[in-house]
Amino acid sequence: QQQVKQSPQSLIVQKGGISIINCAYENTAFDYFPWYQQFPGKGPALLIAIRPDVSEKKEGRFTISFNKSAKQFSLHIMDSQPGDSATYFCAASIAGNQFYFGTGTSLTVIP
Amino acid sequence: GAVVSQHPSWVICKSGTSVKIECRSLDFQATTMFWYRQFPKQSLMLMATSNEGSKATYEQGVEKDKFLINHASLTLSTLTVTSAHPEDSSFYICSALAGTDYGYTFGSGTRLTVV
């Protein structure tokens, strides 16, 4: 059973555009929602994370939007660049114990 | 920031041999480390949770006798793939929780190829 559902599976965006990746969850006990960026042959790297007591968190060009009532959260990449091309995973956790990952989104930013 | 060092990054071994992968937390103590397996273009699959000083907890379907995990210190966990076979070829990644500020920190992964 997939605890965290992620979409789309793949995404192609023009340079300068906005990339949006969505995730949904069911377990209301989740209290930490990170996003990870993974380049081929490398381990995932923490990109940005949010807790359910805030609706939005922004770090540079990356923004997480969180909708607690809908049990959804999304990653927005503003002014997308070719260097942002990677696989992105959302995740959810309860108190930092076992993390549940989405299925991943392969992002390609074309020049 | 918190760093998890994983070695080797790539290993090729003959079928039937054993391979050990190390995962070290460099600037923090990790009482719990996690081991994942990732197939090409797929998500991370949790294999086991490694606890310092105690037996690892394996996910359903993961053979504990095949994937031996040892977490002998607060900074080192090892995964040994015993009697490796070609179907064990995969990308193995460890991770640890480095406090709430850093979230879940991953190692750089190990590409295992069994020939």
Side-chain angles (χ1 to χ4, degrees), chain B residues 5-79:
Chain B
S5 176
Q6 184 173 344
H7 293 281
S9 57
W10 186 32
V11 58
I12 301 174
C13 70
K14 289 186 176 181
S15 186
T17 61
S18 296
V19 174
K20 180 185 284 188
I21 302 170
E22 291 189 352
C23 182
R24 293 180 185 274
S25 57
L26 295 187
D27 47 5
F28 66 99
Q29 294 183 331
T31 54
T32 303
M33 288 187 175
F34 304 89
W35 287 95
Y36 291 84
R37 184 173 182 176
Q38 186 179 35
F39 292 102
K41 299 185 185 295
Q42 292 191 26
S43 189
L44 296 86
M45 183 188 77
L46 180 65
M47 298 175 64
T49 301
S50 163
N51 297 295
E52 187 266 337
S54 63
K55 291 184 178 180
T57 303
Y58 290 82
E59 295 300 301
Q60 190 173 10
V62 178
E63 300 176 60
K64 59 181 66 177
D65 293 331
K66 180 166 191 60
F67 299 100
L68 299 180
I69 291 174
N70 183 283
H71 195 156
S73 77
L74 288 171
T75 59
L76 175 64
S77 176
T78 61
L79 168 68

Side-chain angles (χ1 to χ4, degrees), chain A residues 42-103:
Chain A
K42 301 294 183 182
L46 178 64
L47 193 60
I48 187 172
I50 198 169
R51 296 193 183 276
D53 53 345
V54 297
S55 60
E56 185 176 283
K57 184 174 182 179
K58 183 176 181 180
E59 290 184 2
R61 296 185 294 111
F62 301 93
T63 300
I64 298 180
S65 295
F66 186 82
N67 187 329
K68 189 174 182 178
S69 60
K71 292 185 284 187
Q72 295 175 347
F73 58 110
S74 61
L75 174 69
H76 296 235
I77 305 175
M78 314 299 286
D79 187 26
S80 299
Q81 299 296 313
D84 297 330
S85 298
T87 300
Y88 292 81
F89 293 96
C90 62
S93 168
I94 303 172
N97 298 314
Q98 186 171 336
F99 280 55
Y100 297 91
F101 290 89
T103 49

Side-chain angles (χ1 to χ4, degrees), chain A residues 3-74:
Chain A
Q3 295 269 2
V4 180
K5 296 182 179 179
Q6 182 173 345
S7 64
Q9 185 176 5
S10 62
L11 181 62
I12 300 175
V13 174
Q14 286 255 310
K15 178 182 175 181
I18 302 174
S19 303
I20 302 175
I21 305 171
N22 301 299
C23 283
Y25 64 97
E26 286 299 322
N27 190 343
T28 55
F30 287 138
D31 61 1
Y32 182 70
F33 302 89
W35 283 90
Y36 289 87
Q37 180 188 56
Q38 185 180 29
F39 293 104
K42 301 294 183 182
L46 178 64
L47 193 60
I48 187 172
I50 198 169
R51 296 193 183 276
D53 53 345
V54 297
S55 60
E56 185 176 283
K57 184 174 182 179
K58 183 176 181 180
E59 290 184 2
R61 296 185 294 111
F62 301 93
T63 300
I64 298 180
S65 295
F66 186 82
N67 187 329
K68 189 174 182 178
S69 60
K71 292 185 284 187
Q72 295 175 347
F73 58 110
S74 61

